[in-house]
Amino acid sequence: MATEEIQFSGVSTTSGLSVADRLDNEIASLRDQVTSLKRDLALQTATLLTSPSTHHLLQQETSAAKRSRSAQQKTTHSHSRTQDLLTKADEQTAHQQRCLYRACASVTAFRVRDPDPRAADGGAVLGLRFEVMYKARFLRPYYVMLNRPYAGSRRLRVHRHTVPQCIPLPGLSARHLPPPPPPPSPSRTADDEGEEDEATGKKQDLPMFVRALRRELVRYHNRTAVIGDLRSEAGLEKKPRKEGVEVPIVDISAADAQAKQIRVEWGDGRSGRLVISDDGDIVKMVAQGENGQDREAVRQLLGGSVRVEEVVRRLGDV
């Protein structure tokens, strides 16, 4: 098909894409604009409703409607709408207060009673609630339940949790919440017991355990988020594929449960593996083609990038 010029939304574009591909790209772009406008409208509406001046005007109108008894029938509809706006304003204020609390108090402790009559420590359980944000939204909170199952000791142990399996919770618990040392054996000498106390008598550090666990949760979600950004910039997330790319990337996905390895596949059959650290630093990347290791593909994708966010920006500039 010969290259032709078509006018879309007042913008003239010339490329080798077919008319159907251009229409698909234009429709996808318009849908993104509609979604963005709806999001902006909801944000502006919430901002106006929670404004002190708007709330004051609504209260004044409600008070005036209550005083005008003679015109009650005429103002019934207006009064009802004002009450609806006041209710929505109160709900939005409560929502903002809850979001502010969740953002500032990212970890919350609370007490729970285990209904099991044979539960340890009389059923007393300490609950920890972890708040994590993902793409500017709060995720479902993660919970860790701690109890005291050791007789004669006040040391804590992880009882139940909702943390993903890819998070090294057992290792963090063993490091910061070690169990109590075993009772002294009569067959051991005093020197042996002293060495054992030094090895296993480490004190528990609950605040350090909480900080380490939340850091691991945030790191994990940051890694999964950056993989989503890579997919979006490569045109794999309902985004129109950019023109002028000879060999596009057809898939970007996590290669392991911890999202520390990223699988990259090109349209010509090449595949690569990008290894990142806990904090998103690029450790290594290897690409394989028909003739073995393809260093040129690595150079084209990374281009001297040190962090995976720089690779996202490079894909966005292509």
Side-chain angles (χ1 to χ4, degrees), residues 19-301:
V19 177
D21 292 338
R22 293 188 183 186
L23 287 174
D24 290 340
N25 290 348
E26 181 69 12
I27 291 173
S29 177
L30 291 175
R31 287 177 177 174
D32 292 340
Q33 293 180 13
V34 170
T35 303
S36 179
L37 289 175
K38 288 182 178 180
R39 190 183 304 112
D40 293 341
L41 178 61
L43 178 61
Q44 297 297 334
T45 303
T47 303
L48 288 175
L49 286 176
T50 55
S51 173
S53 57
T54 303
H55 198 269
H56 181 65
L57 289 174
L58 291 175
Q59 287 182 339
Q60 284 185 340
E61 185 175 349
T62 302
S63 301
K66 290 180 179 180
R67 290 192 299 266
S68 57
R69 297 181 179 178
S70 59
Q72 183 176 4
Q73 295 181 354
K74 298 181 180 180
T75 59
T76 300
H77 181 66
S78 176
H79 177 68
S80 177
R81 294 194 61 182
T82 303
Q83 288 294 334
D84 293 340
L85 290 176
L86 279 173
T87 301
K88 292 181 179 179
D90 294 338
E91 293 176 354
Q92 185 63 31
T93 301
H95 175 71
Q96 287 187 348
Q97 185 177 4
R98 183 168 60 253
C99 291
L100 180 62
Y101 178 81
R102 296 178 68 178
C104 296
S106 56
V107 181
T108 307
F110 56 92
R111 294 180 180 179
V112 184
R113 177 65 59 178
D114 192 342
D116 187 356
R118 295 177 296 177
D121 196 18
V125 176
L126 174 64
L128 300 175
R129 171 184 171 130
F130 294 84
E131 297 284 357
V132 181
M133 294 190 68
Y134 178 74
K135 293 185 177 181
R137 294 180 180 272
F138 286 105
L139 297 176
R140 184 187 298 272
Y142 294 106
Y143 294 93
V144 176
M145 304 298 175
L146 306 172
N147 63 356
R148 293 170 174 168
Y150 307 110
S153 176
R154 299 180 62 83
R155 291 185 177 235
L156 297 170
R157 186 192 66 175
V158 175
H159 178 52
R160 295 284 189 272
H161 69 88
T162 61
V163 177
Q165 295 296 327
C166 59
I167 303 298
L169 181 61
L172 296 176
S173 177
R175 181 183 307 171
H176 303 292
L177 300 177
S185 175
S187 62
R188 297 192 177 185
T189 62
D191 295 337
D192 294 336
E193 292 176 3
E195 293 177 358
E196 185 179 7
D197 289 340
E198 289 185 6
T200 61
K202 182 181 177 182
K203 294 183 179 180
Q204 291 190 342
D205 193 345
L206 181 59
M208 194 65 186
F209 169 77
V210 171
R211 288 194 294 268
L213 178 55
R214 188 177 187 277
R215 182 167 58 247
E216 291 293 335
L217 289 171
V218 172
R219 285 173 171 176
Y220 167 71
H221 284 289
N222 286 342
R223 293 194 298 269
T224 56
V226 81
I227 293 176
D229 294 339
L230 287 172
R231 291 181 55 85
S232 178
E233 294 299 336
L236 304 175
E237 295 288 346
K238 299 180 181 180
K239 185 177 179 180
R241 191 175 299 279
K242 296 183 179 181
E243 305 169 6
V245 180
E246 298 180 357
V247 184
I249 296 176
V250 296
D251 185 40
I252 296 178
S253 59
D256 63 335
Q258 294 182 343
K260 293 182 180 180
Q261 298 186 20
I262 305 174
R263 183 188 300 107
V264 184
E265 296 182 4
W266 284 267
D268 57 356
R270 292 178 297 174
S271 62
R273 186 69 60 92
L274 176 62
V275 182
I276 61 177
S277 65
D278 293 337
D279 298 321
D281 297 327
I282 296 176
V283 178
K284 185 179 181 181
M285 180 175 181
V286 178
Q288 295 288 335
E290 295 181 355
N291 301 323
Q293 189 171 352
D294 192 343
R295 293 183 176 85
E296 182 62 26
V298 176
R299 285 193 292 268
Q300 290 178 359
L301 183 63

